[in-house]
Amino acid sequence: MNFLRILIFVVLVVVSSCQQIPDDPNVVVEKFLNEVNEHLAVLYNNQIEYNWREEVTDPKQLPENIEDPIFETMDYIKGVASIVSKLKRAKVTNANLKRQLDQIPEPGYDALDDSEKMDLHEIIGNMSEIYKNVGLCSFRDRNNCTLRLIPEVQEIIDDTMNVEELKYYWLEWRDKTGSKSKYAFSKFVELYKKTAALNGFLKPSDFWLRDIEGESGEVIATLDKVMLILRPLFLQFHAFVRSALRLKYGPDLIRFNEPYPQHLAEKFIGSSYRDMNGDWTIDLPYPLVGLVNITAGLIAKDITTPYGLIETAARFYTSIGMPSIPQTFWIQSARPKFDVDERLMTCWSKTWKYYSSDKINLSFCPMADEERYTNMFEAVSDYYYFKSYRNQPTLFQEEPLPNFGEAIGKAMTLSATSPRFLEKIGMGGPVYSSYEGRINRLYLLGLRNVFLIPIFYVLDKYRVDVLDGRIENLDNCEFWKLTEKFTGAKPPVQRSHDQFDAPSKLLIEVDDNYSSPTMSIILQFQIFKRLCEKTGQYRRGDDAYPLDLCDLSGHKEIGPLVLNAMSLGSSKSWKEVLFTLTGDNQLDVSGFLEFFKPLYGWLQSINQLNKEEIGWVELNQCV
């Protein structure tokens, strides 16, 4: 069906609606939605095919001067926006139809006039360019100002023990980016507020969090509660990290009862990830026990290609009752990513869905190591997700909440990296299921998760408060108040109201929110806890079946439960889908806390033994 036919249909419906709504508006809405679903599937698939070709094809072999299909999609959504608005006011009684209407994307930035839209896209593009490619001057050679944050500066930070060098790069990054981006970000906020109003949102924050169903105040209140419940665990962990930093850098730099300097804490927490050379730099609680070396285990089992990783993940999923993935999929639909920077290790496998179609593609990395192992379990989870909801209308072929699919995939990786599962497949030993081995693993995962949640929370709380006018003029000191209060970190030098440090932590994409990723982290453990309870692999209060050792493999009752929830797509709210999967319809932090319970007990004991101070006096080092 061509675009002209759609437009004619829309015009007819508009004319009809201006005269009289039929006795049964459900009939008009259903016909309209059938047309929309059909046309959006074509537009979305064109976009996916365009992006897929760029992912797996040598740029020299790509056709020249092909326009990005995203613009046609945006034009279509903008074209139907007025009729969508009219039909939402009609007395539609069919809940399914009403939800489909609500799932039609808003015009977004296209609601702005052409000049404003051009300004906004230029602002976003320029800010992204600043963070990706700004040249930083070398600490050792101030005339060399060609260093990028990643990889050059990151490699220096990983290797250096020089405190002044660490502080220098912390300041150099913020000074080079903040001053350049403050005016642009201010302009972005102004245009974003206007965009929200033009799209029919009462508050800019409602537009910012529009993909999380519910008013923004409700979303923030939920995250406030999460932060409150996690606070005791975070305070114990913070005290331990501060003590470790004090041993390393001395009490003059790491003062008692104060927040720790952010630049030193970032380096310490970053040690929970492998450095650029693939080595661990982390000091574990029990170094003689260590961690399972999944990369070495893969090599020992001769799993040295992406196809080996795919087969390993596929066997796990079929063992829990998922249908087998046809061999033809790997041959016909899986392709290596073309542009891979092995130095940066930024290559990840990705599953590509097509709408209203059985077609699914997979792009993968030509590497087989620990990071790619866990990533492949998430990619295969996405394969099942996309297959499960393929019979839904196009408008429902989505997650009910951004990163909901990621939460399911990461719940599966918790099992795939469980010491018991790794021992079962010959990639670990019983020592890693011991108390010491468990604490080492939980310590590593805790650094990655317990400290990430407050950072994400601050990023979105600051921007929501800016958008709604509770923070004026992008006040830098308000950002540091939030940072100090919730993350226990302070700047290495005094900052001022006029500086602009917030975007330095916005992970480059200026218009992405961090509330849904925060919720996804909690959901990951919530889902994992429920699945482990159902299989009997986790039994509350039973030391023989703790949550962190849960291995779901071989439990075929899991697959149908997960597939049923996946099959709903976005036809139900995320709370309803969650209830189908877990029996809960609210975000529940108990899974997160139960998973890290052994670590929490260990932290309490070690902090009490060493008489560590818990918490900090807020200094507000910004004037």
Side-chain angles (χ1 to χ4, degrees):
M1 181 175 298
N2 58 41
F3 187 54
L4 179 59
R5 181 179 168 188
I6 294 290
L7 285 179
I8 291 173
F9 172 76
V10 168
V11 170
L12 289 174
V13 174
V14 171
V15 171
S16 174
S17 64
C18 289
Q19 297 171 352
Q20 182 181 359
I21 297 294
D23 291 337
D24 187 2
N26 294 286
V27 175
V28 173
V29 170
E30 183 174 13
K31 186 176 181 182
F32 172 73
L33 288 171
N34 287 340
E35 300 280 4
V36 169
N37 278 307
E38 184 178 343
H39 198 70
L40 281 179
V42 174
L43 293 172
Y44 288 164
N45 288 345
N46 289 342
Q47 180 67 49
I48 291 164
E49 192 64 29
Y50 176 87
N51 294 336
W52 163 256
R53 287 198 304 268
E54 288 197 329
E55 180 89 350
V56 300
T57 308
D58 183 341
K60 296 177 183 177
Q61 298 177 2
L62 288 171
E64 295 182 2
N65 302 321
I66 293 183
E67 185 176 357
D68 191 334
I70 187 64
F71 298 110
E72 187 178 357
T73 303
M74 292 163 59
D75 286 344
Y76 176 73
I77 291 171
K78 185 178 180 181
V80 300
S82 61
I83 186 59
V84 170
S85 178
K86 288 180 180 293
L87 291 178
K88 283 183 177 180
R89 295 195 296 270
K91 296 180 180 180
V92 179
T93 57
N94 185 301
N96 182 282
L97 298 179
K98 290 176 69 174
R99 183 163 180 82
Q100 285 190 63
L101 278 176
D102 289 338
Q103 296 297 103
I104 297 176
E106 301 88 2
Y109 298 148
D110 270 358
L112 298 169
D113 65 41
D114 288 343
S115 63
E116 290 174 325
K117 185 166 60 176
M118 187 178 299
D119 286 346
L120 187 63
H121 286 299
E122 184 177 350
I123 288 167
I124 294 173
N126 288 344
M127 290 186 70
S128 181
E129 186 69 18
I130 288 171
Y131 293 116
K132 288 178 181 176
N133 297 315
V134 66
L136 305 180
C137 297
S138 169
F139 175 73
R140 302 180 188 280
D141 178 9
R142 303 300 167 88
N143 293 319
N144 176 12
C145 296
T146 62
L147 305 184
R148 292 170 296 165
L149 179 66
I150 299 175
E152 291 91 357
V153 172
Q154 187 61 54
E155 288 180 336
I156 293 170
I157 290 172
D158 286 343
D159 295 336
T160 188
M161 296 297 293
N162 187 326
V163 175
E164 289 302 314
E165 189 169 22
L166 291 171
K167 182 170 75 172
Y168 169 82
Y169 283 117
W170 188 95
L171 286 167
E172 175 72 358
W173 167 247
R174 282 154 181 80
D175 290 347
K176 284 289 180 66
T177 58
S179 59
K180 289 184 177 181
S181 62
K182 185 169 185 178
Y183 172 77
F185 196 83
S186 178
K187 186 66 174 175
F188 166 79
V189 169
E190 178 186 325
L191 290 172
Y192 197 89
K193 288 180 177 180
K194 186 171 183 178
T195 301
L198 290 172
N199 279 271
F201 289 85
L202 296 177
K203 295 187 298 184
S205 60
D206 288 340
F207 184 54
W208 184 260
L209 299 172
R210 64 192 180 279
D211 291 330
I212 306 174
E213 293 182 40
E215 189 262 346
S216 62
E218 179 187 345
V219 176
I220 297 301
T222 296
L223 296 179
D224 288 343
K225 184 178 179 181
V226 167
M227 292 296 295
L228 184 64
I229 296 172
L230 291 181
R231 189 72 169 175
L233 170 60
F234 178 75
L235 288 176
Q236 292 290 335
F237 215 157
H238 178 278
F240 179 84
V241 170
R242 180 173 52 196
S243 173
L245 290 172
R246 189 177 297 130
L247 286 173
K248 191 169 188 175
Y249 298 110
D252 289 340
L253 276 178
I254 314 298
R255 297 178 180 176
F256 289 90
N257 295 303
E258 290 190 5
Y260 43 45
Q262 190 183 72
H263 65 306
L264 300 180
E266 285 177 342
K267 178 176 171 63
F268 184 94
I269 295 168
S271 66
S272 65
Y273 296 89
R274 294 185 186 275
D275 65 17
M276 295 295 181
N277 299 316
D279 298 322
W280 290 108
T281 57
I282 188 172
D283 293 324
L284 295 169
Y286 297 99
L288 295 180
V289 174
L291 294 161
V292 177
N293 190 328
I294 292 178
T295 302
L298 292 169
I299 295 171
K301 292 182 67 64
D302 199 28
I303 302 174
T304 57
T305 68
Y307 293 103
L309 295 181
I310 291 170
E311 290 173 0
T312 301
R315 281 196 298 271
F316 170 85
Y317 282 100
T318 55
S319 83
I320 63 171
M322 301 287 205
S324 298
I325 300 175
Q327 282 296 116
T328 53
F329 174 77
W330 315 124
I331 299 170
Q332 298 173 0
S333 304
R335 295 286 184 275
K337 290 169 64 73
F338 177 79
D339 188 15
V340 178
D341 191 333
E342 295 191 29
R343 180 188 177 197
L344 297 182
M345 303 292 282
T346 55
C347 179
W348 304 103
S349 298
K350 179 179 179 180
T351 309
W352 300 71
K353 70 175 179 182
Y354 289 76
Y355 290 78
S356 302
S357 168
D358 283 339
K359 183 177 180 180
I360 293 177
N361 286 342
L362 174 73
S363 56
F364 58 80
C365 305
M367 296 178 275
D369 57 17
E370 184 168 331
E371 295 293 333
R372 263 38 66 174
Y373 168 85
T374 55
N375 175 225
M376 188 59 74
F377 276 81
E378 295 171 34
V380 175
S381 175
D382 284 342
Y383 169 90
Y384 286 108
Y385 209 151
F386 301 158
K387 279 287 186 182
S388 295
Y389 63 50
R390 68 186 183 278
N391 292 325
Q392 293 282 358
T394 300
L395 289 166
F396 287 161
Q397 291 182 27
E398 305 289 351
E399 304 167 288
L401 175 77
N403 306 107
F404 192 88
E406 180 181 340
I408 296 177
K410 286 188 178 296
M412 297 303 173
T413 67
L414 290 176
S415 180
T417 56
S418 163
R420 285 181 175 167
F421 176 72
L422 293 172
E423 183 179 357
K424 180 189 293 185
I425 63 173
M427 287 171 50
V431 67
Y432 301 112
S433 297
S434 68
Y435 174 76
E436 294 80 6
R438 292 168 61 198
I439 293 300
N440 281 348
R441 178 184 180 229
L442 293 173
Y443 178 73
L444 180 80
L445 293 176
L447 287 172
R448 294 179 179 182
N449 290 280
V450 176
F451 287 89
L452 187 60
I453 291 174
I455 291 172
F456 278 179
Y457 173 82
V458 167
L459 292 178
D460 247 21
K461 183 166 179 58
Y462 177 78
R463 284 191 290 182
V464 163
D465 285 349
V466 166
L467 287 171
D468 284 353
R470 289 182 291 274
I471 294 177
E472 297 182 1
N473 302 320
L474 305 182
D475 191 329
N476 197 46
C477 290
E478 291 298 324
F479 171 74
W480 279 109
K481 284 180 183 177
L482 290 170
T483 298
E484 187 175 310
K485 179 177 181 179
F486 291 105
T487 75
K490 65 180 181 181
V493 297
Q494 191 174 74
R495 307 302 279 165
S496 73
H497 289 275
D498 297 328
Q499 290 164 322
F500 193 42
D501 296 321
S504 298
K505 301 291 293 182
L506 295 190
L507 310 185
I508 295 174
E509 302 302 335
V510 67
D511 57 347
D512 281 350
N513 83 65
Y514 295 95
S515 292
S516 57
T518 302
M519 294 172 68
S520 181
I521 295 173
I522 301 301
L523 286 169
Q524 168 191 346
F525 292 91
Q526 183 174 352
I527 293 168
F528 186 62
K529 175 174 175 279
R530 174 62 184 129
L531 298 181
C532 293
E533 284 175 330
K534 186 171 181 63
T535 60
Q537 290 299 297
Y538 160 65
R539 300 172 187 172
R540 186 174 182 180
D542 189 337
D543 291 341
Y545 293 91
L547 186 57
D548 62 287
L549 290 183
C550 170
D551 169 21
L552 295 173
S553 66
H555 292 275
K556 292 190 178 295
E557 65 270 34
I558 291 301
L561 176 65
V562 175
L563 290 172
N564 180 50
M566 288 177 164
S567 71
L568 296 173
S570 58
S571 66
K572 305 291 183 183
S573 71
W574 69 268
K575 293 181 180 181
E576 292 175 286
V577 177
L578 181 64
F579 183 82
T580 299
L581 187 56
T582 68
D584 297 321
N585 62 5
Q586 298 292 332
L587 203 64
D588 183 2
V589 190
S590 65
F592 189 95
L593 293 177
E594 189 66 19
F595 189 88
F596 288 106
K597 184 178 179 180
L599 177 67
Y600 182 44
W602 180 83
L603 289 168
Q604 287 178 304
S605 297
I606 200 75
N607 286 335
Q608 186 175 15
L609 179 66
N610 295 328
K611 295 182 172 57
E612 301 297 346
E613 73 277 22
I614 310 299
W616 56 88
V617 176
E618 293 180 23
L619 303 175
N620 297 324
Q621 283 189 294
C622 185
V623 294

